[in-house]
Amino acid sequence: MKMGEHIQLQRVIGYFHGTIFLFSIIIGAGIFIAPKGVLKYSLLNVGVSLSIWTACALVSVVAALSHAELGTTFPRSGAQYYFLKRSFGPFIAFFYLWIHLFSTPAGIAARVLLLAGYITQPFYPGCFVPEVPKKCLALAILLCLGILNARGVKEVTWFQTVSTVVKITVLCFISLTGIVLLVRGKKENLARFEKAFDAEVPDASQIAEAFLQGLYSYSGWGVLVRIAGELKNPGENIPKCVITALTLVALIYLLVNISYLAVLTPKEIMSSDAVAVTWIDRIIPSMQWAISIGVSSSIVSSLNCTLFSASRIYFVASQEGQLPLILSTLNIHSCPVVAVIQILIFASILIIPSDLITLINYVGFTDWILLGLMMTGLIKLRFQEPNLSRPYKVHLPFVFGTLAMSLFLVLTPIIKSPKMHHIYVIVFVLSGLLFYFPFVHFNLGSTYFNKITCFLQLLLNVSPADDLTTGIIHEESFDDLVNDY
């Protein structure tokens, strides 16, 4: 990269590709492999289970529309982080960042291990996949995703479009097959729906757990707010993309679950680790390859979208001075490649342990804590800065409803059935103080970090973005650092 050449994040994602991004990150492996979580906490009550899937869709739409105001009011990448810093100050914003620094790589590591195991299993029929080849394949997949992201937004959107078309095709096949089976009206296909609500009804704690399971399948709807700095006309496109994508996802999810129940009994679903595979074995055993392609494309596209959007959070946090400056540099393809590399390094380290699910459980419910915090900040800004430009303004009942749901999902399990991992999460969050005060508040070691920044800029051929307003390495200071180094 030539000295004096300026780059910045490009607004190249329109309505169509924004909707594709939402599809990509929301529709992951869950709907193919583990829809039994809702059924489990619904006590195998089919009617309650389907009702919770419908309610989860409504909750997700309301929460996503409320959340969308963040990206339209502050149309920049990593808008959630910037919003929390403006609403509550740098201390709360750092805790949001601290959680994502570990939860995002952990989630990526768990999903890439799942994908690697799914790909390698056919080579080891009738036995467990050895850990070494599975983890080597997982590392190779991460490397490929990193190279793809480093190539820029256009290549990422092209890949997301192709992979999304593949998995939507597979889901539509499952949905239409279920509809055909129900229309034909065979007794065994209709049996589960004739007395759907006759089973035991779950209590409030179990309903909250079932909601968390269902809402996990809808997670990721905030991706457009993360990448708002690369969206065309975010004030208009973010709400439109949210409504379009979540409406279609909700319809597909409901039809897929109905299709599963039309073929399998609730007990059969509970005993299956891969519901979609069990379903296709019962219908067309020779079509297992289609489910394999659907699962693989879902995991890969969701991983890619997560990596793409999470790097933007670290990018803006670096701009705001809470992460090393090198993370806010861009390569010639306008990609924050150093932030991408950091996520991949963390995820690669977390691939080494064998049990990542426990780690994810420790930080999983913090998403709804953070969402409740954002809704509180949104209400706070409405009254503190009523004249702030808001191209899209959500109705306040939606915001209060999202806040109430957040409190319900977080507090109900803690009150009804407290567990040790709740304490672990609190300890983990508070441990961020050990890093916040010395490195952010008192800015210790800044000279040392500057020299490292200079070296990495030269090594990776990256430079600060044009839109940096604080903490920029200008050409003069860059020359000084080069001379010092």
Side-chain angles (χ1 to χ4, degrees):
M1 186 174 295
K2 297 178 181 179
M3 184 71 67
E5 182 180 353
H6 299 291
I7 57 173
Q8 60 184 3
L9 296 177
Q10 304 294 320
R11 292 191 180 273
V12 296
I13 303 175
Y15 166 74
F16 174 76
H17 286 115
T19 305
I20 290 294
F21 265 90
L22 278 173
F23 271 124
S24 298
I25 199 167
I26 293 174
I27 301 178
I31 194 63
F32 290 103
I33 296 175
K36 62 183 183 181
V38 175
L39 198 58
K40 173 185 176 181
Y41 289 106
S42 300
L43 303 181
L44 305 187
N45 190 314
V46 172
V48 172
S49 174
L50 294 177
S51 299
I52 287 176
W53 276 104
T54 304
C56 284
L58 295 174
V59 169
S60 298
V61 170
V62 171
L65 288 174
S66 301
H67 189 254
E69 185 173 319
L70 278 62
T72 57
T73 305
F74 305 105
R76 54 184 296 174
S77 294
Q80 294 103 323
Y81 167 85
Y82 180 80
F83 172 81
L84 284 175
K85 187 175 182 183
R86 178 155 177 172
S87 300
F88 296 107
F91 190 67
I92 298 297
F94 179 80
F95 280 121
Y96 172 83
L97 177 65
W98 177 252
I99 291 170
H100 275 279
L101 276 172
F102 295 94
S103 62
T104 299
I108 290 174
R111 281 179 287 168
V112 78
L113 277 174
L114 175 64
L115 175 59
Y118 203 85
I119 294 173
T120 53
Q121 183 62 61
F123 298 97
Y124 299 90
C127 61
F128 290 105
V129 178
E131 289 296 313
V132 173
K134 182 171 71 173
K135 291 181 179 180
C136 287
L137 179 59
L139 291 172
I141 293 171
L142 285 179
L143 178 62
C144 293
L145 291 176
I147 293 172
L148 176 63
N149 272 266
R151 296 295 300 170
V153 180
K154 291 184 179 179
E155 281 74 10
V156 170
T157 54
W158 174 85
F159 178 82
Q160 295 299 105
T161 302
V162 174
S163 58
T164 300
V165 169
V166 172
K167 63 184 175 183
I168 291 297
T169 301
V170 174
L171 285 171
C172 287
F173 168 74
I174 296 175
S175 302
L176 292 174
T177 303
I179 292 172
V180 170
L181 291 173
L182 291 176
V183 170
R184 287 170 59 186
K186 285 188 176 182
K187 186 176 180 180
E188 60 269 22
N189 299 131
L190 296 171
R192 264 77 73 187
F193 304 97
E194 290 177 352
K195 298 179 180 180
F197 290 92
D198 283 357
E200 184 181 355
V201 178
D203 60 23
S205 176
Q206 291 166 326
I207 289 175
E209 294 285 355
F211 261 102
L212 287 173
Q213 294 288 325
L215 289 169
Y216 175 77
S217 297
Y218 287 95
S219 61
W221 40 253
V223 65
L224 295 185
V225 177
R226 287 187 182 184
I227 61 173
E230 290 157 279
L231 288 175
K232 299 176 182 177
N233 192 8
E236 178 181 344
N237 282 330
I238 291 179
K240 285 172 60 178
C241 291
V242 164
I243 293 173
T244 302
L246 281 174
T247 300
L248 293 176
V249 169
L251 179 61
I252 291 172
Y253 276 10
L254 189 60
L255 290 176
V256 167
N257 277 280
I258 290 173
S259 182
Y260 288 155
L261 288 166
V263 176
L264 305 171
T265 65
K267 290 184 179 180
E268 288 174 330
I269 293 176
M270 290 301 304
S271 63
S272 173
D273 290 327
V275 178
V277 174
T278 306
W279 179 90
I280 200 69
D281 278 341
R282 188 70 59 83
I283 300 298
I284 315 174
S286 61
M287 290 286 289
Q288 279 193 13
W289 59 269
I291 299 299
S292 298
I293 292 175
V295 173
S296 299
S297 62
S298 293
I299 299 175
V300 170
S301 63
S302 180
L303 280 170
N304 190 54
C305 199
T306 301
L307 180 60
F308 179 84
S309 60
S311 63
R312 273 56 184 175
I313 294 178
Y314 304 156
F315 174 83
V316 73
S318 174
Q319 287 184 325
E320 297 295 318
Q322 292 200 345
L323 283 178
L325 180 61
I326 189 64
L327 294 173
S328 61
T329 56
L330 302 175
N331 65 5
I332 58 174
H333 301 291
S334 298
C335 169
V337 67
V338 184
V340 171
I341 292 172
Q342 176 192 293
I343 297 171
L344 293 180
I345 290 173
F346 280 25
S348 299
I349 293 171
L350 290 171
I351 282 175
I352 297 173
S354 57
D355 184 12
L356 286 168
I357 303 302
T358 303
L359 176 61
I360 295 171
N361 285 338
Y362 289 161
V363 295
F365 82 103
T366 56
D367 287 343
W368 280 92
I369 296 177
L370 292 173
L371 182 62
L373 197 61
M374 290 177 194
M375 294 301 101
T376 304
L378 196 152
I379 296 169
K380 181 173 178 282
L381 275 188
R382 282 284 188 94
F383 292 98
Q384 282 189 345
E385 301 184 45
N387 297 322
L388 187 66
S389 176
R390 295 178 173 88
Y392 161 77
K393 197 172 182 179
V394 69
H395 297 295
L396 279 180
F398 279 26
V399 180
F400 284 111
T402 303
L403 179 59
M405 178 57 69
S406 175
L407 292 173
F408 172 73
L409 293 176
V410 171
L411 296 179
T412 302
I414 294 176
I415 296 172
K416 291 284 186 178
S417 55
K419 298 176 182 177
M420 281 301 297
H421 72 254
H422 297 136
I423 298 176
Y424 295 153
V425 169
I426 294 173
V427 173
F428 165 73
V429 171
L430 292 178
S431 67
L433 292 172
L434 300 176
F435 293 85
Y436 175 78
F437 284 106
F439 296 110
V440 178
H441 187 73
F442 295 109
N443 197 27
L444 297 179
S446 58
T447 304
Y448 181 69
F449 284 135
N450 284 340
K451 291 189 175 183
I452 295 177
T453 297
C454 171
F455 172 74
L456 291 176
Q457 283 187 249
L458 295 172
L459 177 67
L460 299 173
N461 195 26
V462 293
S463 68
D466 290 347
D467 56 352
L468 280 171
T469 56
T470 59
I472 303 177
I473 295 181
H474 296 287
E475 292 179 25
E476 298 82 2
S477 59
F478 183 83
D479 290 334
D480 292 340
L481 286 172
V482 172
N483 293 331
D484 291 339
Y485 186 79

